[in-house]
Amino acid sequence: MFRSVDDVVSGLGTQKYICNKNVATVVYLGTTLQKPILVEGPAGVGKTELGKVLASALGMELIRLQCYEGLDEGKALYEWEYAKQLLYTQILKDKIGETLQGAPTLQAAVDTIARQDGVFFSDRFLLPRPLLRALLSEKQSVLLIDEIDKSDAEFEAFLLEILSDFQVTVPEIGTLKAKHIPLVILTSNNSREMSDALKRRCLHLYIDFPGEEREMEIIKLKVPGVGDQLAQEVVRLLHRVRKLDLKKTPSISETLDWVKALTLLNVKQLDNELVDQTLSALMKYEADIRKASQELKTYLAEKKAHQGPTSGGSDSDHLH
Amino acid sequence: MESRIVEFANVLRRNGVRVSLSENMDAFRALELIGVENPTLFRSALRTTLIKRAGDIQPFEELFNFFFLGIGEAIDALDRRIMEELGLTPQQFQEMLEQIQKFLREMEGDLSELAKALLSGNQGDLERLLREAMEQEMQSGNSENLRYTPFTRMAGRLQMDRVQSEVERFKGMLQMLGQNGEDLQNVMRYLDERMRDMYKLLRELLQQEQRKQGMEMRDSSQRTALADKSFSFYTEDDIRRMNDAVARLAQRLKNRLSVRRKRAARGRFNVKQTLRKNLQYGGVPFNIQLDRRKKTKPQVMILCDISDSVLNASRFMLQFVYSIQDLYAKVRSFVFVSEIGEVTKLFEEHDINVAVEAALKGDVIDVFSHSNFGRAFEMFHRNYFTAINSKTTVLIIGDGRNNYNRPNDWVLREIKSKAKQLIWLNPESRMTWGVGDSEMPRYAPNCHIAEECRSINQLYKIVDLIVP
């Protein structure tokens, strides 16, 4: 476990995840107070990534539950393995016959069978899904519930119960208590507002696009061969592009893809005709590519006018 | 500290941020871990425990600065000013303070707490003492001594005159001890400045308190009233808060619906299918087959009058329809004044506020003409009528004030016969339907439902009609 906020920064740093003091504070509190963390923010700022690196930094297993519309308990928690139960009954036919031999009446036979109920409804035939796996795992694990906003209200209500008591009731077996309370990370793209009850149980973390300095750091860390000048120009251009009215704002992961492409092509700075052709790594829509390309031209024109770019603004500790 | 957090949570609540008791407790626990020394971490810890919606981050930041940095900032600024006045480097200043503290220790017991905090430059104590006095002042409820200004009352509470005389005495003692010239000069001036600062701080504190009171008075009273308020009386502020109301309404609706749909989906036991499906298990029915009813997601067409007279109601309805888009197979939205235009694409591509504003702004149609329902209906019939089928719910929002133009109610009759339902919501009171140029008596009989819808609460009541 993390011992302090700085410990979180360095711990996640070893996993090549750069986080600011705010993110680190929330992670530290979440892991220490054992409260779930609800992470919100635009797509591609590293919400899911946070769950993954948290697991690897703490050396825990990552159990991931991807939410979608119509996800229900059966898919998320547990199911009975009917086929396996049936197979066992087939194999045990003779044994069952023996057991029932002494029974004089049908009633007695049914009673005898009923006494054996526990055999067929036991852990042996329980197929644990992510939530149950996280509860029953022998070591503490990180449970990543991804895109919780995609799930329905019923599922959210059901999740509430689990997140507050960390136990579930399986009617045929009884209550299963968590051996270790997992660290829970929920991510949401805010396609719908989560219920207040869920939010009350969670710590809240809003991750926004990083400032220029921080994004530079991220690029240099993730794309080792990148030149300083290219990284700087890309970040500066991106911060302008993100202000445009786009269908899909380029996220950090797309930025990294683009920089990787540029580095592969051995591009050292943005005034290179290859740059325009690689924009499709950054943008997903034709209209967006056009807009970005226009912005790139404007940027290069301004750069020519100034000649000799000055470095970007100072890095503040806040993303907000 | 805990009482400060509780107070802060109350200020947040009064500013429309929902903070529950359990969140307060979380904040305490978080601060036990984090401590209060590092302002950045302190802020993050409070933010993550108290603030649960991205939209509340902004007010939190403002209130936090105001609440926690207020007086502290002021004290800091005063320290800096004194340093400049005396022309000392921070180090010299520190040395001087240490000297003074040494003297103070020798005088131990003769000084009031406030004087000690003031003279030794102990910010924490100073702030605490001022706050305590302020709280007492607030609790006393101003009933006593209304003849005096708050400033005078506070000065009395803090026993400023006593502090004043103590400082004088301290100066005298220093002179008796016979310090050397320049240092003594500096210390004397420092003490005078400090005393003056004290009054300044007190003023600052009182002003802040008044501002805080002002913030607290804001809008809690209006919040409840919004639901009953008629759309036409909305203020700018109400419009901003509309988002919230719409979201809540939409969520409530979705919850109710999802239950209804679940029930509908659970069909009846299908013997034939069950047997066939379970042949693999030797005819033992392990997998029960139920008749699934087909989920029919209905379609909606919404026609919004966006002339000035009903602008707020239309804005609300557009927002509402935007929020429940995913309940429908297809939502097509139109806005009209005298011509009609489709804004469906806007709704698909932009987020709620951008889309609704764009629809109302007149990018699509000329919004500065006079209402002409008849013409709009005719255009609708010509261009879009074929898109209506028996699954379509058509929803018209408007006051039906047609400026004495041709009503063209035949369009409504045709829609009514073709669509699943035709609903008219009128943001005008039923009393005025048919008065003046209102064509409602002609239009209403040609709709399945025509209802007055002037406030959020009225919408709550009829919302069931709109949804599948």
Side-chain angles (χ1 to χ4, degrees):
Chain A
M1 257 331 140
F2 299 114
R3 286 182 307 280
S4 70
V5 176
D6 293 330
D7 201 18
V8 177
V9 175
S10 59
L12 297 186
T14 56
Q15 303 301 318
K16 295 203 170 180
Y17 188 89
I18 296 179
C19 69
N20 63 2
K21 277 277 198 304
N22 179 41
V23 175
T25 307
V26 178
V27 170
Y28 171 66
L29 287 174
T31 50
T32 317
L33 297 174
Q34 296 197 315
K35 282 188 86 76
I37 301 174
L38 173 64
V39 192
E40 290 184 321
V45 287
K47 297 190 292 289
T48 306
E49 192 64 18
L50 179 63
K52 290 181 184 167
V53 296
L54 185 61
S56 50
L58 293 170
M60 294 180 183
E61 188 195 359
L62 176 76
I63 297 174
R64 183 169 173 175
L65 173 69
Q66 173 67 46
C67 298
Y68 52 88
E69 204 174 334
L71 173 69
D72 57 7
E73 295 175 38
K75 290 279 179 298
L77 191 60
Y78 71 89
E79 277 181 310
W80 289 111
E81 292 192 85
Y82 292 120
K84 194 171 165 188
Q85 284 168 333
L86 196 66
L87 196 63
Y88 274 61
T89 12
Q90 292 291 347
I91 295 170
L92 297 175
K93 241 187 183 140
D94 309 342
K95 191 77 199 148
I96 293 171
E98 269 171 51
T99 315
L100 293 182
Q101 247 163 10
T105 61
L106 202 55
Q107 179 64 42
V110 171
D111 286 345
T112 321
I113 288 274
R115 277 197 293 277
Q116 305 291 334
D117 242 4
V119 175
F120 285 100
F121 288 102
S122 63
D123 297 12
R124 194 190 307 271
F125 298 100
L126 197 66
L127 192 66
R129 297 284 180 192
L131 288 179
L132 194 61
R133 277 208 356 249
L135 291 185
L136 300 181
S137 102
E138 288 303 326
K139 289 221 250 349
Q140 196 180 22
S141 58
V142 173
L143 173 62
L144 171 63
I145 301 175
D146 216 3
E147 298 187 328
I148 175 77
D149 51 328
K150 297 266 195 307
S151 66
D152 320 329
E154 296 93 331
F155 183 75
E156 197 185 328
F158 152 79
L159 201 59
L160 269 182
E161 189 187 358
I162 293 203
L163 290 183
S164 52
D165 311 337
F166 290 103
Q167 60 179 40
V168 285
T169 306
V170 179
E172 296 87 346
I173 296 181
T175 304
L176 299 169
K177 249 188 140 54
K179 294 183 175 139
H180 301 279
I181 293 187
L183 302 177
V184 186
I185 305 273
L186 304 106
T187 75
S188 154
N189 285 331
N190 240 342
S191 65
R192 74 181 174 89
E193 191 74 35
M194 308 312 296
S195 74
D196 282 352
L198 182 80
K199 288 189 162 181
R200 266 202 299 279
R201 283 185 179 62
C202 301
L203 295 176
H204 188 265
L205 173 61
Y206 183 82
I207 303 185
D208 207 342
F209 285 119
E212 294 195 11
E213 295 282 324
R214 196 173 291 281
E215 193 157 19
M216 286 268 293
E217 270 181 72
I218 294 171
I219 291 178
K220 282 181 183 158
L221 188 76
K222 297 272 184 182
V223 191
V226 71
D228 271 358
Q229 182 170 5
L230 179 65
Q232 200 171 59
E233 288 192 348
V234 163
V235 168
R236 217 172 290 157
L237 175 70
L238 263 177
H239 278 250
R240 295 172 57 149
V241 167
R242 284 192 190 129
K243 288 196 184 77
L244 299 175
D245 178 25
L246 301 173
K247 266 190 183 176
K248 187 185 175 319
T249 311
S251 66
I252 300 176
S253 46
E254 282 150 348
T255 308
L256 290 174
D257 288 345
W258 190 46
V259 175
K260 276 176 195 153
L262 291 175
T263 317
L264 273 178
L265 295 168
N266 213 354
V267 172
K268 291 278 179 271
Q269 48 190 21
L270 287 184
D271 29 19
N272 185 321
E273 55 273 20
L274 284 172
V275 173
D276 219 28
Q277 296 158 29
T278 51
L279 278 177
S280 55
L282 185 70
M283 299 294 190
K284 304 293 189 247
Y285 292 97
E286 197 51 44
D288 285 359
I289 293 180
R290 271 201 302 277
K291 282 177 185 161
S293 172
Q294 195 51 50
E295 189 67 26
L296 176 68
K297 285 195 186 74
T298 326
Y299 170 77
L300 292 176
E302 280 175 32
K303 192 181 122 184
K304 267 212 177 59
H306 288 175
Q307 215 37 281
T310 50
S311 73
S314 66
D315 181 24
S316 66
D317 206 33
H318 280 290
L319 296 175
H320 302 301
Chain B
M1 196 65 215
E2 296 204 350
S3 64
R4 295 272 292 140
I5 302 292
V6 172
E7 198 186 335
F8 180 57
N10 282 332
V11 171
L12 284 174
R13 280 190 200 111
R14 290 195 198 96
N15 280 276
V17 179
R18 267 173 272 166
V19 182
S20 70
L21 199 61
S22 66
E23 282 161 341
N24 256 348
M25 300 303 294
D26 285 342
F28 296 158
R29 287 169 59 204
L31 290 182
E32 275 167 25
L33 285 171
I34 294 284
V36 294
E37 297 77 27
N38 181 330
T40 313
L41 302 192
F42 175 71
R43 185 190 288 253
S44 291
L46 281 190
R47 191 192 302 123
T48 191
T49 46
L50 299 176
I51 300 299
K52 300 294 166 80
R53 290 190 305 186
D56 288 339
I57 289 176
Q58 193 54 37
F60 168 85
E61 296 293 332
E62 284 170 22
L63 291 166
F64 181 93
N65 288 344
F66 174 76
F67 197 88
F68 287 104
L69 305 179
I71 192 88
E73 290 267 287
I75 296 176
D76 270 347
L78 292 174
D79 270 1
R80 280 196 300 275
R81 204 186 51 81
I82 289 187
M83 255 190 284
E84 278 170 28
E85 283 277 315
L86 301 176
L88 298 174
T89 62
Q91 198 179 347
Q92 287 169 317
F93 185 68
Q94 208 50 49
E95 280 168 13
M96 188 176 80
L97 280 185
E98 276 163 23
Q99 247 186 347
I100 293 175
Q101 279 163 4
K102 205 171 74 187
F103 283 128
L104 283 174
R105 274 196 293 279
E106 287 164 16
M107 288 177 68
E108 199 67 70
D110 309 349
L111 283 182
S112 61
E113 220 182 339
L114 182 61
K116 257 192 288 208
L118 183 67
L119 297 181
S120 63
N122 184 334
Q123 292 196 3
D125 280 356
L126 193 57
E127 197 176 335
R128 185 175 50 83
L129 289 166
L130 282 172
R131 286 219 175 274
E132 280 170 5
M134 195 78 227
E135 274 158 28
Q136 285 169 9
E137 171 65 26
M138 288 293 136
Q139 280 158 8
S140 70
N142 301 348
S143 56
E144 42 180 295
N145 290 339
L146 277 174
R147 284 173 304 157
Y148 300 113
T149 60
F151 184 80
T152 323
R153 281 204 304 272
M154 279 292 288
R157 252 180 223 291
L158 290 162
Q159 298 179 307
M160 292 293 270
D161 38 9
R162 179 178 159 193
V163 174
Q164 180 90 45
S165 62
E166 277 172 347
V167 172
E168 289 304 324
R169 206 156 43 104
F170 185 66
K171 278 161 74 174
M173 278 186 54
L174 282 179
Q175 267 164 335
M176 286 200 352
L177 286 168
Q179 288 286 307
N180 61 24
E182 199 185 332
D183 271 0
L184 185 64
Q185 281 292 310
N186 265 347
V187 173
M188 289 296 169
R189 273 181 58 196
Y190 166 79
L191 294 176
D192 289 342
E193 290 289 339
R194 268 296 192 205
M195 207 54 225
R196 220 166 298 153
D197 281 352
M198 189 65 218
Y199 286 109
K200 261 199 208 133
L201 270 183
L202 194 49
R203 274 218 172 79
E204 174 78 19
L205 185 69
L206 278 163
Q207 272 170 7
Q208 279 194 17
E209 199 56 43
Q210 273 157 357
R211 253 180 308 175
K212 204 188 309 181
Q213 297 266 325
M215 284 192 178
E216 292 173 3
M217 302 298 275
R218 268 208 315 227
D219 97 1
S220 60
S221 55
Q222 303 169 3
R223 185 164 287 280
T224 45
L226 186 64
D228 281 318
K229 210 167 179 176
S230 169
F231 289 125
S232 40
F233 299 129
Y234 273 22
T235 60
E236 285 287 319
D237 207 32
D238 291 338
I239 288 173
R240 269 197 298 280
R241 289 214 318 271
M242 207 146 82
N243 284 336
D244 221 24
V246 168
R248 269 204 298 276
L249 181 63
Q251 193 53 52
R252 214 162 95 166
L253 189 66
K254 283 181 188 169
N255 291 348
R256 214 179 321 162
L257 262 182
S258 75
V259 171
R260 203 191 301 168
R261 280 191 183 158
K262 265 245 155 73
R263 270 195 213 124
R266 264 184 239 132
R268 301 162 60 176
F269 181 69
N270 183 328
V271 182
K272 207 163 74 183
Q273 264 193 9
T274 306
L275 284 177
R276 183 177 306 162
K277 192 88 189 173
N278 288 297
L279 279 177
Q280 52 175 323
Y281 305 127
V284 183
F286 271 109
N287 276 334
I288 304 297
Q289 292 299 306
L290 301 173
D291 276 333
R292 291 262 169 229
R293 299 212 187 109
K294 260 213 203 83
K295 273 193 189 174
T296 46
K297 271 198 173 180
Q299 302 161 10
V300 169
M301 282 187 169
I302 164 168
L303 282 68
C304 254
D305 172 7
I306 55 169
S307 59
D308 276 348
S309 49
V310 293
L311 192 58
N312 281 330
S314 296
R315 185 194 302 270
F316 187 89
M317 288 312 289
L318 283 171
Q319 284 200 354
F320 177 65
V321 168
Y322 184 101
S323 320
I324 56 173
Q325 275 185 102
D326 51 345
L327 295 180
Y328 298 100
K330 182 139 188 65
V331 177
R332 294 186 68 175
S333 331
F334 303 86
V335 290
F336 66 91
V337 178
S338 90
E339 46 186 5
I340 192 159
E342 184 163 8
V343 291
T344 309
K345 214 166 161 48
L346 284 173
F347 275 35
E348 281 164 358
E349 288 178 7
H350 298 288
D351 80 29
I352 182 161
N353 292 325
V354 178
V356 172
E357 287 318 309
L360 297 173
K361 216 169 50 197
D363 296 5
V364 187
I365 55 160
D366 174 13
V367 290
F368 297 109
S369 50
H370 291 288
S371 288
N372 184 338
F373 280 73
R375 183 160 172 256
F377 287 159
E378 206 173 11
M379 265 179 84
F380 178 79
H381 188 273
R382 201 170 46 233
N383 300 332
Y384 307 109
F385 186 71
T386 43
I388 297 176
N389 61 31
S390 61
K391 294 200 197 90
T392 315
T393 298
V394 180
L395 183 62
I396 300 174
I397 291 113
D399 55 6
R401 296 208 167 270
N402 202 16
N403 289 312
Y404 304 105
N405 294 309
R406 259 222 317 236
N408 286 340
D409 36 320
W410 58 270
V411 178
L412 294 188
R413 263 193 299 282
E414 289 209 7
I415 295 178
K416 184 179 176 181
S417 62
K418 195 174 175 193
K420 183 177 166 205
Q421 36 175 9
L422 169 59
I423 302 170
W424 189 304
L425 298 180
N426 189 331
E428 259 194 5
S429 160
R430 211 177 255 278
M431 313 275 286
T432 62
W433 293 11
V435 177
D437 62 349
S438 166
E439 292 286 1
M440 281 319 279
R442 263 172 193 282
Y443 289 147
N446 292 312
C447 305
H448 291 102
I449 298 161
E451 280 290 348
E452 167 190 319
C453 176
R454 303 175 59 208
S455 67
I456 296 176
N457 274 351
Q458 276 182 323
L459 183 61
Y460 265 132
K461 293 195 186 84
I462 37 192
V463 92
D464 262 350
L465 309 174
I466 305 171
V467 297

